[in-house]
Amino acid sequence: MLRLKQIVLAVPLLLSPLVGCSGSDGEDGMNGPAGPAGPVGGAGQAGPPGDMGAPGAAGPSGAMGASGHSGLTVQTVLATGDAHCFDGGIRFDSGADANGNGQLEATEIVSTSFLCAPTSVDTGKNFNRIAVLPVCSQIDANCDDDTQTAAEIVAASADGMTLIYSDSPRKVVGFVDITDPRAPKAAGTLDLAGEPTSVAVVGNYALVGVNKSAGFMNVSGELDVVDVTTKMSVRKIDLGGQPDSVAVSPDGKYAAVVIENQRDEDLNDGAIPQLPAGKLVVVSLEGMPSAWTTRDVVLTGLAGIETPTDPEPEFVDINSDNIAVVSLQENNGIVLVKLSDGSIVRSFSAGKVNLTGVDTRDDGIISLTETKMDVPREPDGVAWLSKDLFATADEGDLAGGSRGFTIFDTNGNVVYSSGREMDVMASRLGHYPDGRSDNKGNEPENVEFAVFGNNRYLFVNSERSSLVFVYDVADLRKPVFKQAVPAGIGPEGALAIPSRNLLVVASEEDSREDLVRSVINIYAYETAPAAYPTLISNDRLNGNPIPWAAMSGLAADPIHGNMLYAIEDSAFEANRIFAIDTGFRPARIVREIAIRDTNDVFKAVAAVDLADATVPANDATRKDVFDEADLAAMINPDKTVNIDPEGIAVAGDGGFWIASEGAGTVGEAARPVNTLNFLFKTNANGVIEKVVKLPDAINAKQIRFGYEGVSEHAGKVYVAFQRVWQGDANARIGIYDVVSDTWTFAFYPLEAPASANGGWVGLSDISSLGDGSFLVVERDNQGGPDAVIKRLYRVTLAGVADGATVTKTLVRDLVPDLKRPAGPVYEKIEGSAVTRTGDVWIVNDNDGVDDNSGETQLINLGRLLP
């Protein structure tokens, strides 16, 4: 610490103790020590034991005690880069001048606090994603393989040029060459004797925790020591249980391995205790791997831990004093261990939080208005910020999740708690997983801390919103949100490589069938604007952001060149229209417009009467019809509606046309018809004015892939059907004449699927170009490495004969545009719009963050057409 200036203030101490200054790291202060007290007169002498007698008379007051030592307070100016105040500040040390020399010695300090300079978030540099490596590329360069893979925890070689990651499903440890981080290369794998759970690096060796357990009771595991250069195992160290986390001390002297001995979540709903108990294994790394030794640290019987017989250790990190911090997740506890001798420094509860203004219901509406009280933090990942402060990712597990992160000091005091901030930010960015509202919300999973140049950052991985939250922690007790970067689904491990200005995050979810591939995300710390997000929302009047996701259709305002309109699809109830101002960077949702059946126009639509409206939707009487029960389910008590808006267009009178996709396939018992394809006309405030159905003969052909896009031109409304309906040769484009209330149809020839993963090709949106021609989005249902067809075509529809097949002209292959954000190619390019200035915008649908990373890219392609 550089002490530029010290100011010593002396305060005499008489009978009264010192008024305490703030305690270490901002907690409650301690009283300064008083001088020796003189005799004090007390109550009268007590009688001998026996029956209670009357109290004796008070004795005379004692003489005044001697004066105590002077209290001293030292103010020390801290330079920029200080361990506590990265932007500088003042340290306050207080105590009694016990030796009377007028100086506050280190042994006399009883209270320390800090006043840090205001944090100045560096806006010149940001973290931007520059590449993703699909883990499946280790098997096949094009990922044409169905094998499940995963990148869970990631480490780097000493020179930062090679990544090493754990892949539990394949029972391998993988290597990635990041010599050029913008073009990472799969560099092979090493087979292991079990499932790798974690990896850390010391020198030229990767230390891989390997779970070899035969069951929850019969546990075993080893630490596999792998030479990073040869990619060969050089030693296997028995751990006597199932490892879950590995860390190496900053000085390279020790490794700490958490032995979790995972519980059976199907036994008593996962409640603990469930033996055998976990522990910590300390590995002394002196000499060559053949000379390394281990010591077990018992974690049972700890003070402050709810179930001391079953500690359930989860994650470990080590500070520069070789103190390990271990999270005991299901016990909602923390333990500090001195690695040099394996002694327990301290153990304590992680405590509870009260969350006000969160969403606690999985009901298709993101409310952010509810309360959760006394929620255990149940920390998962932990990371030291300094010798005496550490951060936890409070995932929760057994008790519902506290949805944020916490900074503790080593005495167990909470220095900072993020509260509901991560849920709120995820809502603002379109990443909030409403399907997890009744459980853990965004679900923080892990934390990483690092210093990049002149800035100090904390990274928090959000497992369910698939975001990495970046906080500026110049003042370790006052994190300031800087930015959020997108990741693949389920970000788990995080690794900062400051020497190369890189951040690496491993996203573990993988299922080719569900169009999800595990990826390693690479971000550069660079002098550039933040590339993500491309769309955020303004606040409602109650101070909460307008929550959004699942952008399904897009339309341009015919007058205001910066204004777009979008809609959310059936991922949500009480559907809304969004007004987007693209004049901001990122673009902003500035207004939400609820679609309402205020005048009972939709309610009056004809539906089949039921003899018994309580029978299920797949009952024989209901499976191929749109009935009264189906209609009733689409209108809420407040007259908002639950439809499936897939397309939106601005009507000539300033209102909107909404294309709502039907649900169900005629003749398919497993997919009963629950709704028809409806064309809604609303006014500018979203009030339904007209509902248009298809002719009965067309409804009789319905499949579940119906309306997707809608556009208006010259008194007619054009609706794109996503796929080919029963008995047709091509996909339909419906043309509705508003004046005559009649339909005609053109047919659109779809491309044949070209993906190695098969699938189908369909239409997603349609936009008028103003001259009788239209721009349409044609796409396959593939994402990531399997995505092939994402295209814009031009077709002419004005004057087309009923039943004619149109000719299409390719305008743009969108795949290069979708690769530009350096992430996986999105499956659902569902919205397109052409502004009055000719700019073409596209947007993807993130499925309401359900089996989806939540990433939304609103992209301006510029002027593509003359």
Side-chain angles (χ1 to χ4, degrees):
M1 180 186 301
L2 179 61
R3 297 197 171 194
L4 301 181
K5 183 178 181 182
Q6 290 189 343
I7 303 173
V8 181
L9 303 178
V11 180
L13 297 180
L14 302 176
L15 280 178
S16 300
L18 278 173
V19 176
C21 296
S22 297
S24 177
D25 302 312
E27 292 305 304
D28 292 337
M30 298 173 59
N31 291 329
V40 178
Q45 296 295 316
D51 295 334
M52 180 70 70
S61 298
M64 180 71 72
S67 297
H69 302 299
S70 295
L72 300 179
T73 297
V74 176
Q75 300 180 14
T76 305
V77 178
L78 305 177
T80 300
D82 179 76
H84 287 273
C85 298
F86 208 63
D87 286 341
I90 300 174
R91 170 175 170 160
F92 298 90
D93 294 316
S94 299
D97 186 12
N99 60 12
N101 67 354
Q103 300 293 320
L104 185 64
E105 309 292 346
T107 56
E108 297 171 337
I109 296 173
V110 296
S111 176
T112 299
S113 63
F114 297 87
L115 179 62
C116 294
T119 300
S120 176
V121 176
D122 179 12
T123 57
K125 281 192 171 185
N126 290 285
F127 292 89
N128 286 320
R129 185 178 56 199
I130 58 173
V132 295
L133 178 86
V135 179
C136 48
S137 63
Q138 294 276 21
I139 304 171
D140 179 87
N142 298 312
C143 280
D144 186 15
D145 189 278
D146 295 341
T147 303
Q148 184 183 9
T149 66
E152 185 175 5
I153 301 298
V154 62
S157 58
D159 61 4
M161 296 296 176
T162 301
L163 300 179
I164 307 99
Y165 66 90
S166 58
D167 183 343
S168 178
R170 291 188 62 208
K171 297 183 179 180
V172 301
V173 62
F175 302 87
V176 180
D177 180 353
I178 58 166
T179 303
D180 179 358
R182 297 177 187 272
K185 299 177 182 177
T189 60
L190 173 66
D191 291 337
L192 302 169
E195 297 177 276
T197 56
S198 186
V199 59
V201 169
V202 58
N204 197 47
Y205 300 105
L207 311 183
V208 186
V210 181
N211 177 23
K212 299 171 62 178
S213 302
F216 293 106
M217 299 296 293
N218 186 11
V219 294
S220 65
E222 63 189 23
L223 188 67
D224 203 330
V225 183
V226 177
D227 187 304
V228 174
T229 302
T230 64
K231 300 176 181 137
M232 298 293 292
S233 176
V234 298
R235 186 184 175 192
K236 294 177 172 58
I237 301 173
D238 182 67
L239 296 172
Q242 173 247 313
D244 196 53
S245 176
V246 180
V248 171
S249 61
D251 61 10
K253 291 183 177 181
Y254 301 99
V257 185
V258 162
I259 306 299
E260 180 182 13
N261 291 340
Q262 191 173 11
R263 64 198 165 83
D264 183 352
E265 296 188 17
D266 294 326
L267 178 64
N268 297 327
D269 294 325
I272 58 175
Q274 290 188 30
L275 302 182
K279 61 183 178 180
L280 185 72
V281 176
V282 179
V283 184
S284 175
L285 304 177
E286 294 184 8
M288 298 299 292
S290 59
W292 293 353
T293 59
T294 64
R295 175 196 294 115
D296 285 0
V297 177
V298 175
L299 299 179
T300 55
L302 298 177
I305 303 305
E306 294 181 9
T307 309
T309 60
D310 183 17
E312 292 291 334
E314 185 75 23
F315 208 92
V316 62
D317 194 31
I318 306 170
N319 71 9
S320 57
D321 281 342
N322 287 330
I323 303 297
V325 55
V326 181
S327 61
L328 311 180
Q329 185 172 18
E330 286 77 19
N331 263 303
N332 191 36
I334 300 288
V335 59
L336 304 178
V337 179
K338 185 177 181 181
L339 297 184
S340 60
D341 60 9
S343 61
I344 303 298
V345 176
R346 189 169 288 108
S347 59
F348 49 86
S349 170
K352 299 180 180 180
V353 297
N354 295 328
L355 298 172
T356 300
V358 294
D359 189 356
T360 63
R361 293 177 292 180
D362 174 13
D363 58 359
I365 296 175
I366 302 173
S367 63
L368 298 179
T369 57
E370 289 136 18
T371 299
K372 289 175 70 74
M373 303 297 289
D374 295 325
V375 184
R377 288 185 168 90
E378 294 187 85
D380 190 341
V382 294
W384 285 101
L385 309 182
S386 67
K387 290 183 178 181
D388 50 9
L389 295 174
F390 60 89
T392 62
D394 302 331
E395 178 188 23
D397 201 345
L398 293 176
S402 61
R403 308 184 181 213
F405 69 95
T406 305
I407 296 176
F408 291 91
D409 67 19
T410 51
N411 291 317
N413 299 309
V414 172
V415 172
Y416 174 87
S417 180
S418 67
R420 71 178 192 131
E421 182 177 54
M422 291 177 65
D423 270 8
V424 171
M425 290 303 302
S427 299
R428 188 183 303 281
L429 301 176
H431 278 255
Y432 181 76
D434 183 62
R436 301 290 296 178
S437 289
D438 58 347
N439 198 331
K440 306 174 193 176
N442 80 86
E443 199 167 326
E445 176 75 15
N446 211 341
V447 284
E448 169 76 340
F449 169 78
V451 177
F452 284 79
N454 295 324
N455 294 281
R456 193 160 60 180
Y457 296 115
L458 177 67
F459 307 93
V460 186
N461 288 356
S462 172
E463 181 176 5
R464 298 295 177 171
S465 69
S466 297
L467 286 170
V468 180
F469 290 87
V470 184
Y471 285 85
D472 185 302
V473 284
D475 183 341
L476 293 175
R477 287 156 302 280
K478 297 178 181 178
V480 176
F481 174 75
K482 175 179 174 61
Q483 65 177 124
V485 293
I489 299 180
E492 176 85 13
L495 172 71
I497 312 177
S499 63
R500 300 195 64 198
N501 281 324
L502 297 176
L503 171 70
V504 179
V505 173
S507 292
E508 63 179 335
E509 292 299 317
D510 186 86
S511 170
R512 192 184 192 193
E513 180 182 359
D514 295 327
L515 313 181
V516 175
R517 300 320 308 243
S518 174
V519 295
I520 294 175
N521 312 268
I522 303 176
Y523 311 87
Y525 183 57
E526 58 187 7
T527 304
Y532 196 82
T534 60
L535 180 62
I536 63 174
S537 64
N538 282 355
D539 284 347
R540 290 170 163 171
L541 292 178
N542 65 4
N544 287 329
I546 298 171
W548 63 275
M551 293 301 191
S552 201
L554 204 60
D557 190 292
I559 299 174
H560 304 288
N562 286 338
M563 189 64 65
L564 299 175
Y565 298 96
I567 49 170
E568 60 186 359
D569 63 21
S570 60
F572 297 99
E573 305 276 300
N575 311 108
R576 296 166 297 161
I577 299 166
F578 300 104
I580 301 172
D581 190 338
T582 63
F584 295 96
R585 294 292 181 274
R588 293 185 186 176
I589 296 173
V590 295
R591 184 186 176 201
E592 58 183 339
I593 305 167
I595 305 172
R596 295 181 183 273
D597 190 31
T598 302
N599 301 315
D600 293 336
V601 175
F602 188 28
K603 183 178 180 181
V605 167
V608 173
D609 292 332
L610 294 171
D612 182 0
T614 65
V615 296
N618 60 358
D619 185 84
T621 63
R622 299 187 57 193
K623 65 180 182 179
D624 285 338
V625 297
F626 178 70
D627 55 55
E628 58 179 317
D630 294 327
L631 178 59
M634 299 179 75
I635 305 173
N636 298 313
D638 65 355
K639 297 197 175 183
T640 58
V641 297
N642 307 321
I643 59 178
D644 187 7
E646 294 286 351
I648 183 171
V650 179
D653 64 359
F656 300 98
W657 290 102
I658 306 294
S660 176
E661 186 174 26
T665 299
V666 172
E668 187 176 342
R671 298 187 183 277
V673 172
N674 291 324
T675 70
L676 300 177
N677 291 267
F678 288 109
L679 182 60
F680 292 93
K681 169 64 176 62
T682 77
N683 66 15
N685 294 317
V687 176
I688 296 172
E689 299 177 328
K690 185 176 184 178
V691 182
V692 181
K693 292 196 296 185
L694 286 167
D696 291 343
I698 306 302
N699 280 331
K701 296 170 170 281
Q702 177 173 311
I703 66 171
R704 65 189 183 97
F705 301 97
Y707 285 174
E708 279 293 316
V710 62
S711 187
E712 183 192 81
H713 173 68
K716 294 182 179 180
V717 182
Y718 298 78
V719 185
F721 291 45
Q722 186 169 68
R723 293 183 62 189
V724 179
W725 278 24
Q726 299 178 73
D728 295 339
N730 291 296
R732 289 177 180 262
I733 296 178
I735 306 170
Y736 174 69
D737 189 307
V738 178
V739 175
S740 66
D741 192 27
T742 58
W743 286 93
T744 56
F745 298 92
F747 288 92
Y748 180 97
L750 294 168
E751 297 294 307
S755 173
N757 199 36
W760 50 261
V761 176
L763 298 180
S764 275
D765 210 347
I766 183 169
S767 304
S768 173
L769 298 176
D771 60 357
S773 65
F774 294 79
L775 199 64
V776 297
V777 178
E778 186 174 349
R779 68 168 180 89
D780 58 21
N781 69 328
Q782 301 298 308
D786 287 316
V788 177
I789 297 175
K790 316 290 180 186
R791 300 173 186 168
L792 293 176
Y793 286 96
R794 185 174 188 166
V795 297
T796 298
L797 294 172
V800 67
D802 188 18
T805 300
V806 300
T807 300
K808 63 184 184 180
T809 302
L810 179 65
V811 173
R812 187 155 178 127
D813 180 359
L814 296 175
V815 170
D817 299 298
L818 302 178
K819 288 182 176 180
R820 198 160 291 121
V825 175
Y826 325 106
E827 177 208 354
K828 294 185 175 180
I829 305 304
E830 297 232 333
S832 67
V834 182
T835 69
R836 65 178 179 81
T837 59
D839 284 345
V840 177
W841 290 81
I842 59 172
V843 70
N844 68 295
D845 176 2
N846 71 8
D847 282 331
V849 202
D850 183 12
D851 290 330
N852 192 295
S853 71
E855 182 170 343
T856 297
Q857 290 286 346
L858 178 65
I859 301 174
N860 185 357
L861 300 174
R863 300 179 184 181
L864 304 183
L865 300 165

